[in-house]
Amino acid sequence: MSSAPSMRVSEQEHFHLEDTSDIERSIWVLNPPNPPPLRNKLFSPLKKTVSFFSSKKKTCLGHAVSFLESLFPILTWFTNYKASKFKEDLLAGLTLASLSIPQSIGYANLAKLDPQYGLYTSVVPPLIYAVMGSSREIAIGPVAVVSLLLSSLVPKVVDPAVDPDAYRNVVFTVTLFAGIFQAAFGIFRLGFLVDFLSHAALVGFMAGAAIMIGLQQLKGLLGITHFTNKTDVISVLESVYKSLHQQITSGEKWYPLNFVIGCSFLIFLLIARFVGRRNKKLFWLPAIAPLLSVILSTLIVYLSKADKNGVNIIKHVKGGLNPSSVQQLQFHGPQVGQAAKIGLISAVIALTEAIAVGRSFASIKGYHLDGNKEMLAMGCMNIAGSLSSCYVATGSFSRTAVNFSAGCQTSVSNIVMAVTVFLCLELFTRLLYYTPVAILASIILSALPGLIDISEACYIWKVDKFDFLACIGAFLGVLFESVEIGLLVAVSISFAKILIQSIRPGIEVLGRVPRTEAFCDVSQYPMATSTPGMLVIRISSGSLCFANANFVRERILKWVAEEENELAKGRVQAVILDMSNLMNVDTSGILILEELHKRLLSRGVQLAMVNPRWLVIHKLKVAHFVDKIGRQWVFLTVAEAVDACLSSKLPDP
């Protein structure tokens, strides 16, 4: 085959591709556009950030309007907001508030904070999200998983039993850092960082966290006063056994009324949940059941004076508007680093749950949710929350489902819910004095079944065993060690999966499918036949790099040796590398290709390349590897390469 001419294909020939010669087609591969420079790759996220809020070809006023509309999506739809929509949002918001008030108090108790801080978290963050968020259905407030996360990590910094004020201050600082991280993820378009916690890992983590949250509620359900700060299942069960055993042996009286009240209302809540799922028209029943349980249990305790008989009650709940917590943020001392670390973990978990919930309901309504804008909205609301006595807030799946079922049209339902909770803080907190602690435990327990998705775990097992390993690793890590260990195990297994796939990329021997020009994997398509004397190999990997280059070389040489040992097929004359799936190559990969070329030449085997991507061919040309194998051995298709090798006089060994 003669050397390739240096001229480019003329415009006329572009309209007659069927008449184009093989040499000219090879020119297309050898002379692609230059890949973008390194600075474009490094600074493209920043350029996207600049255009995050506005577009080109606009006046200064247009840019300002675009910026405000992007920052506050409420401006784009509120001008067309109608009274009919407000009626539906009002109903949804009131229904949402009836569920949020008791849940917020319970989740604050789970986070080892006073009840009012859960209510505070259901006021400011939802208002901020309503004007900055793009989801119409998501319900903002405290959630069980994040509350458990804080109650398991923050006590390692400050013990809430020893210094509750310092513990609360660290929680506010963690919330500030979580908001800063979330806003940074959105501004710099770093949403991919959240994806490192895979779907499978999240399923396992949620299930493990749900069981741990349930075990934590044994304290309130059984009326135990002395309880462990650890969250693993062994420590919790051991603490329950020791507490009950100590009460029995020491003669201290145990009051079963806590257990009776908690279990009675738990059964009621579960029945309401079951009825609401079976009959969609009764969606409001499981929504108001928690508030109804609080009202009834409070009345029962007040009228029967059950608190005098050992029933643990909430007692004082501070009311009024969210007080400022600016002065309580901690920016000095060794606690800051720990707070930032916990804030990062909380930010990732909160974002993962919120975006998953938001996208699920957005797909039902048929609109797109911008993940980066959601991160910015979440970050701003948590920053504002940290300054107004709130802890980390995010989107709740159970409350979002209620909001959706109640027929919400826009995020105004969050505003209605926040105003309702605020009115509760102003007017009704005194009525919560006699609310039994056991009822909060039963409310949290009733919400946990939604976090355990056994059918999804079975689906993951059927589809991908490695994903199931990440799922079960996160589950067991949370259950038997801690939230941190569970997350670490899940992320480690996910990284190990990526690493194994990088080190052991797909390398396939191709054959021609009969009566076609297509070359496919002979393992997948047994009818595909190999060409005598030709070994066609496809490298199915994103990159040929230091991690996998040696593996690729050894596998190719092994196949060449195996082919030559089969005397019936004769010796291998050419190795054709299909690089269509190869996106990049580094210096280690180029060195391995050069070594492979030398080893093949010593055997009398010609090396050819097919359709390398523009970044790959650019690097191979700069490294002079294309000149070493010869430009005539670079082809556009596998069929052209095979035909050229068959028609050429290949070197003898």
Side-chain angles (χ1 to χ4, degrees):
M1 181 180 287
S2 58
S3 60
S6 58
M7 69 190 74
R8 286 188 174 272
V9 181
S10 68
E11 225 179 273
Q12 184 179 0
E13 288 171 316
H14 275 290
F15 293 99
H16 302 283
L17 298 180
E18 65 276 6
D19 300 328
T20 306
S21 67
D22 291 347
I23 296 176
E24 290 167 336
R25 288 160 68 88
S26 296
I27 295 174
W28 301 346
V29 181
L30 288 166
N31 297 299
N34 288 329
L38 180 62
R39 65 177 179 273
N40 286 13
K41 295 182 180 180
L42 294 176
F43 297 109
S44 60
L46 295 178
K47 290 182 179 179
K48 289 179 181 179
T49 300
V50 173
S51 60
F52 183 63
F53 299 113
S54 60
S55 58
K56 295 180 179 179
K57 298 181 180 178
K58 287 185 178 181
T59 62
C60 292
L61 180 60
H63 279 292
V65 171
S66 296
F67 174 81
L68 290 174
E69 288 180 347
S70 297
L71 190 60
F72 304 109
I74 193 172
L75 297 176
T76 60
W77 55 263
F78 194 73
T79 53
N80 298 321
Y81 194 66
K82 298 179 181 178
S84 58
K85 288 186 177 181
F86 177 72
K87 181 181 176 181
E88 296 186 30
D89 285 336
L90 178 63
L91 176 62
L94 293 174
T95 308
L96 191 58
S98 68
L99 178 61
S100 296
I101 291 170
Q103 278 195 351
S104 298
I105 296 172
Y107 292 151
N109 186 51
L110 178 61
K112 299 182 179 177
L113 294 167
D114 292 335
Q116 65 267 18
Y117 293 105
L119 295 173
Y120 293 157
T121 308
S122 293
V123 175
V124 173
L127 290 175
I128 301 295
Y129 182 84
V131 297
M132 296 190 68
S134 54
S135 173
R136 304 169 196 165
E137 297 80 25
I138 196 167
I140 299 297
V143 296
V145 175
V146 175
S147 300
L148 172 69
L149 193 68
L150 295 176
S151 67
S152 62
L153 298 181
V154 179
K156 296 177 182 178
V157 182
V158 178
D159 190 344
V162 176
D163 193 346
D165 291 339
Y167 174 83
R168 183 188 63 234
N169 295 345
V170 173
V171 169
F172 292 156
T173 308
V174 166
T175 304
L176 176 64
F177 279 115
I180 291 172
F181 282 122
Q182 289 172 335
F185 291 162
I187 292 172
F188 296 104
R189 310 183 75 83
L190 301 176
F192 66 90
L193 295 176
V194 179
D195 296 333
F196 280 117
L197 193 61
S198 65
H199 169 70
L202 191 62
V203 169
F205 172 78
M206 288 294 190
I211 294 176
M212 287 314 309
I213 292 167
L215 292 174
Q216 291 285 322
Q217 301 317 302
L218 292 176
K219 177 183 178 181
L221 205 61
L222 298 174
I224 298 173
T225 53
H226 304 291
F227 203 71
T228 180
N229 285 329
K230 296 181 179 179
T231 58
D232 63 282
V233 62
I234 296 175
S235 298
V236 172
L237 293 178
E238 186 180 5
S239 177
V240 171
Y241 172 77
K242 285 183 177 179
S243 297
L244 294 177
H245 185 264
Q246 184 178 357
Q247 286 182 331
I248 294 171
T249 55
S250 64
E252 185 180 348
K253 191 174 181 180
W254 178 63
Y255 299 96
L257 281 177
N258 291 289
F259 184 73
V260 172
I261 291 174
C263 286
S264 299
F265 281 97
L266 176 60
I267 293 171
F268 166 69
L269 290 167
L270 292 176
I271 291 174
R273 182 188 180 93
F274 176 77
V275 172
R277 286 194 169 186
R278 291 294 298 270
N279 191 342
K280 298 299 182 182
K281 293 182 180 179
L282 297 176
F283 70 89
W284 51 268
L285 183 59
I288 68 167
L291 184 60
L292 192 60
S293 299
V294 169
I295 295 171
L296 290 176
S297 62
T298 303
L299 282 174
I300 290 171
V301 172
Y302 174 73
L303 296 175
S304 65
K305 306 296 182 184
D307 57 308
K308 305 295 183 183
N309 296 316
V311 173
N312 297 327
I313 58 176
I314 293 178
K315 296 183 179 178
H316 180 65
V317 178
K318 185 178 179 181
L321 184 64
N322 291 38
S324 173
S325 54
V326 176
Q327 300 299 325
Q328 299 171 24
L329 298 176
Q330 304 292 312
F331 296 112
H332 304 286
Q335 298 176 349
V336 178
Q338 292 292 326
K341 172 187 169 186
I342 299 170
L344 177 60
I345 297 173
S346 303
V348 172
I349 295 298
L351 282 177
T352 303
E353 182 172 358
I355 292 176
V357 170
R359 285 178 174 169
S360 298
F361 287 93
S363 63
I364 296 174
K365 286 287 189 73
Y367 67 94
H368 174 68
L369 205 64
D370 190 326
N372 291 303
K373 289 186 179 180
E374 285 295 289
M375 291 176 187
L376 180 61
M378 295 279 174
C380 290
M381 78 179 190
N382 278 315
I383 291 173
S386 69
L387 306 178
S388 53
S389 301
C390 305
Y391 71 96
V392 182
T394 187
S396 165
F397 183 82
S398 60
R399 294 198 294 274
T400 302
V402 168
N403 197 29
F404 176 81
S405 300
C408 75
Q409 296 297 313
T410 66
S411 56
V412 169
S413 60
N414 270 297
I415 298 176
V416 174
M417 184 266 293
V419 171
T420 307
V421 175
F422 169 69
L423 292 176
C424 174
L425 278 165
E426 285 285 352
L427 304 174
F428 304 118
T429 51
R430 292 181 181 180
L431 302 179
L432 297 172
Y433 184 90
Y434 289 99
T435 301
V437 174
I439 200 65
L440 302 180
S442 64
I443 289 171
I444 293 175
L445 285 169
S446 67
L448 296 183
L451 298 178
I452 303 175
D453 197 340
I454 297 176
S455 61
E456 187 66 19
C458 294
Y459 170 78
I460 292 170
W461 166 258
K462 292 178 182 178
V463 174
D464 192 324
K465 301 297 188 291
F466 216 120
D467 266 359
F468 182 78
L469 189 60
C471 176
I472 202 68
F475 175 76
L476 296 177
V478 172
L479 203 60
F480 290 101
E481 193 57 42
S482 66
V483 173
E484 276 183 301
I485 296 300
L487 289 173
L488 183 62
V489 169
V491 174
S492 298
I493 293 175
S494 299
F495 269 111
K497 177 182 178 181
I498 296 171
L499 189 61
I500 290 173
Q501 290 175 342
S502 299
I503 295 175
R504 294 289 184 268
I507 308 178
E508 307 155 357
V509 177
L510 306 183
R512 191 192 297 265
V513 178
R515 298 184 298 277
T516 70
E517 291 294 312
F519 281 77
C520 301
D521 182 7
V522 295
S523 299
Q524 183 177 359
Y525 299 93
M527 73 290 299
T529 57
S530 57
T531 305
M534 304 293 159
L535 187 59
V536 183
I537 297 171
R538 179 167 59 204
I539 303 175
S540 296
S541 174
S543 176
L544 183 64
C545 59
F546 65 93
N548 57 26
N550 283 308
F551 174 80
V552 172
R553 177 197 59 196
E554 295 303 322
R555 178 62 64 88
I556 292 173
L557 291 174
K558 180 182 178 182
W559 279 337
V560 171
E562 289 175 353
E563 286 288 321
E564 290 183 342
N565 287 335
E566 297 180 18
L567 299 177
K569 292 186 177 180
R571 74 175 184 85
V572 175
Q573 295 180 309
V575 170
I576 300 170
L577 294 182
D578 183 358
M579 295 183 167
S580 302
N581 296 334
L582 192 64
M583 302 299 296
N584 202 354
V585 62
D586 66 1
T587 52
S588 298
I590 294 172
L591 289 174
I592 291 299
L593 287 176
E594 291 177 351
E595 184 179 341
L596 177 65
H597 179 231
K598 292 178 183 177
R599 297 275 292 272
L600 292 176
L601 278 182
S602 66
R603 291 172 174 266
V605 180
Q606 178 62 50
L607 178 65
M609 297 188 303
V610 173
N611 196 23
R613 298 296 182 97
W614 64 343
L615 187 58
V616 175
I617 193 64
H618 174 76
K619 290 185 177 182
L620 295 180
K621 286 166 65 178
V622 171
H624 303 293
F625 179 72
V626 173
D627 296 329
K628 292 177 182 177
I629 68 169
R631 289 175 173 262
Q632 68 272 24
W633 297 110
V634 180
F635 302 93
L636 182 63
T637 66
V638 175
E640 291 176 7
V642 171
D643 294 340
C645 290
L646 288 174
S647 62
S648 299
K649 185 178 180 181
L650 298 171
D652 295 326

